Amino acid sequence: MGLVTTKEMFKKSMEQKFAIGAFNVNNMEIIQGITRAAAKQNSPVILQASSGAIKYAGAGYLRRMVEAALEENDIPIALHLDHGADFEICKQCIDNGFTSVMIDGSKYDFEENIALTKRVVDYAHSKGVVVEAELGKLAGIEDDVNVAAEDAMYTDPKQAKEFVQRTGCDSLAIAIGTSHGAYKFKGEAKLRFDILAKIKEELPNTPIVLHGASTVIPELVEICNKYGADIPGAKGVPDEILNQASKLGVSKINVDTDLRLAMTGYIRKSFAENPSNFDPRKYLEPARTAIEDTVEHKIRDVFGSSGKASIC
Ligand code: G3H
Ligand code: 13P
Ligand code: ZN
């Protein structure tokens, strides 16, 4: 099987109420760690590359490494552009064999976001590629906003329906309280499932995407800090909340920060424990295993996609 789009996997996720992990990839070890975990769990998986990842590794390298992973692992894999900022980067990825792209027009006003998204959808669909769009704004705790301003950032369910109808996008990323990075909440972690429920009411057949959904796994932060990192007070979305989200109709859950923590923590540990080593394989291997373990835990214990690899 070659790379697939997310169409079939999302259909099944909505029917059977589980989520598919979308993991950010930047190099070979990350791709191997993720795909080996997904294969062990017989789960579909989405590998996503940001513009930064493409600048770092190259779209062609990323696609070919993902294709190599497909040869080893007999599971459905989609290759997705994460946070495409404009039409050109989406086109570059579509023309380079990606099976899915995100056009992130969330910084624009409603009409501009619609116009940009529709342009990408028209091109992508003509090439058999699917499109994720975003409506609403993901605030971080550094964005000190009052309650009224915070409410305005969440996705409006009625607007969401109009947005999907007018753009024809295949899936929609929503803002219900998550944010990117390792500092998501000051106090208790909380997502607005009431808004999610209203969005699902308006859009029962549209796959919903949650960005900024790393757990910021405390054990990984601890390993990083134990071996010299300085990441105090980091906090993410607990497993129970993500598990609930996957049962309430979220089809795609985006994870990058947890992989960064896994890789960094285990490289730091290896450096600290083996100061005389200078063979990169000796510290990249434990980092790759940590990524594999992290992804396997999410697929099996949180997202519920184990055993869902057959997508017909
Ligand atoms: O949502 C952002 C992802 O974590 C990708 O981050 O743009 O630094 O590659 P990046
Ligand atoms: P995290 O920073 O929570 O891992 O989110 C990643 C993401 O949303 C990528 O698009
Ligand atoms: Zn994101």
Side-chain angles (χ1 to χ4, degrees), residues 127-147:
K127 306 277 178 188
V129 169
V130 292
V131 178
E132 173 185 323
E134 178 164 332
L135 187 65
K137 289 189 173 58
L138 267 62
I141 52 172
E142 70 280 4
D143 303 305
D144 226 346
V145 288
N146 61 34
V147 176

Side-chain angles (χ1 to χ4, degrees), residues 24 48 82-83 179-181 184 211-214 254-258:
N24 284 76
Q48 55 188 14
D82 190 29
H83 292 285
S179 59
H180 292 111
K184 302 189 193 298
H211 280 250
S214 274
N254 283 13
V255 176
D256 187 4
T257 299
D258 281 333

